[in-house]
Amino acid sequence: QVQLVESGGGLVQAGGSLRLSCAASGRTFSSYAMGWFRQAPGKEHEFVEAISWMGGSTYYADSVKGRFTISRDNVKNTVYLQMNSLQPEDPAVYYCAAAYTIATLRNYGMDYWGKGTLVTVSS
């Protein structure tokens, strides 16, 4: 069993940066690929980025290429999403999720997910 708690959301100006964190409980955190998804008001969930269980592989959506970076610390049981150059299309609730493979996450398969953290971008 893995429980996920996101933090780090908030209000930022367009062009600014935020770093989201997702703290995981459970001794098997390092066995899971981790990912970030987002959902804007009135829109469906959107895959953002994912990282393999050892951190050797990452996969990101074209919409965040070159701006967002996912990383993880298996000692701290935490996954991060560094978001730079935030744009007006980025505001959403950002969710952390876990699955056994990146492929599962890319196909919107999640074994565990958190309650989300809200990111707002002002123009």
Side-chain angles (χ1 to χ4, degrees):
Q1 191 80 341
V2 177
Q3 292 183 329
L4 305 173
V5 179
E6 302 93 338
S7 62
L11 173 64
V12 64
Q13 287 189 327
S17 299
L18 279 176
R19 187 175 82 155
L20 306 183
S21 299
C22 173
S25 63
R27 291 178 291 179
T28 60
F29 170 76
S30 60
S31 300
Y32 289 90
M34 300 296 298
W36 288 94
F37 294 78
R38 65 186 181 185
Q39 186 173 27
K43 296 186 177 181
E44 296 184 354
H45 278 90
E46 177 189 11
F47 170 82
V48 177
E49 199 156 352
I51 188 168
S52 61
W53 67 282
M54 280 293 288
S57 298
T58 60
Y59 189 83
Y60 48 84
D62 287 342
S63 58
V64 303
K65 181 179 179 180
R67 300 189 298 124
F68 292 9
T69 303
I70 191 171
S71 62
R72 67 188 295 163
D73 185 332
N74 286 346
V75 174
K76 295 182 178 179
N77 281 6
T78 303
V79 62
Y80 305 97
L81 185 67
Q82 178 66 43
M83 306 187 295
N84 298 327
S85 300
L86 283 159
Q87 301 299 317
E89 61 266 26
D90 293 322
V93 177
Y94 282 72
Y95 298 89
C96 173
Y100 276 115
T101 68
I102 287 183
T104 302
L105 291 169
R106 288 174 55 189
N107 288 307
Y108 292 80
M110 310 169 199
D111 293 319
Y112 304 100
W113 57 92
K115 294 184 177 180
T117 184
L118 178 63
V119 172
T120 306
V121 179
S122 64
S123 57

